[in-house]
Amino acid sequence: MKTLKNITLLSFSLVALLSTQNIFSQTKKSNIEQDEKIEKLLLEKRKNNSAITINDKFKIQIFFGNIEESKKILISFKKDFSQTDGTIIFSNPSYKVWVGSFKSKIEAEKAIILIKKKYPTSVIIEPNKK
């Protein structure tokens, strides 16, 4: 009787072992095909995001308020100062218009002199400083 239990247990273990090999095996390989337009869109997004980044040390904030006014201010700024980039940043519950990318405070101070003539509430900020 004891031998019969051992044989049954051994055969059950053998069946379980053989069936788990099929469960965990992965034989099929997937081939993903992607439209060329997706890669172009990703490249364009990477370009846009690199322009928005705040890696430079100083920026000038020319406006703080709601989204509609922020858009108007940014459009007006781009007409007046076409060589300087600008973006709108959301800061709960308001929006900020940041312009320029300055590596030193001296560069930012030179630029703010001209910018304050049109946007008198402008201030120099350090976005990465916490």
Side-chain angles (χ1 to χ4, degrees):
M1 193 70 158
K2 195 173 185 183
T3 309
L4 185 59
K5 284 185 181 178
N6 286 340
I7 293 173
T8 306
L9 183 62
L10 183 62
S11 61
F12 178 72
S13 298
L14 184 61
V15 168
L17 181 65
L18 292 174
S19 65
T20 57
Q21 281 184 328
N22 288 335
I23 292 172
F24 295 114
S25 65
Q26 296 179 357
T27 58
K28 187 172 181 176
K29 294 190 178 191
S30 298
N31 186 18
I32 299 173
E33 293 183 21
Q34 179 175 303
D35 192 357
E36 292 175 12
K37 293 177 184 176
I38 293 174
E39 192 60 38
K40 288 179 183 176
L41 285 171
L42 286 172
L43 183 63
E44 194 64 33
K45 179 150 178 65
R46 287 183 196 117
K47 284 182 197 174
N48 288 338
N49 283 347
S50 69
I52 294 173
T53 59
I54 53 176
N55 292 334
D56 291 322
K57 194 163 179 153
F58 297 94
K59 292 202 175 275
I60 297 174
Q61 180 176 306
I62 62 170
F63 180 77
F64 181 84
N66 64 37
I67 186 66
E68 292 84 18
E69 283 295 314
S70 297
K71 288 178 182 177
K72 289 177 187 175
I73 295 289
L74 184 59
I75 290 169
S76 172
F77 178 83
K78 286 185 176 182
K79 286 179 186 173
D80 296 333
F81 301 92
S82 60
Q83 298 299 317
T84 307
D85 64 326
T87 188
I88 297 173
I89 304 293
F90 178 70
S91 177
N92 198 13
S94 300
Y95 294 84
K96 299 174 182 178
V97 179
W98 288 355
V99 298
S101 294
F102 308 101
K103 295 188 185 332
S104 69
K105 192 165 186 176
I106 293 173
E107 287 179 38
E109 288 173 349
K110 286 179 185 177
I112 202 168
I113 292 170
L114 296 173
I115 292 172
K116 274 199 171 201
K117 291 177 182 176
K118 175 85 178 183
Y119 305 95
T121 60
S122 300
V123 292
I124 296 173
I125 57 168
E126 292 182 71
N128 291 330
K129 190 173 183 179
K130 293 183 181 185

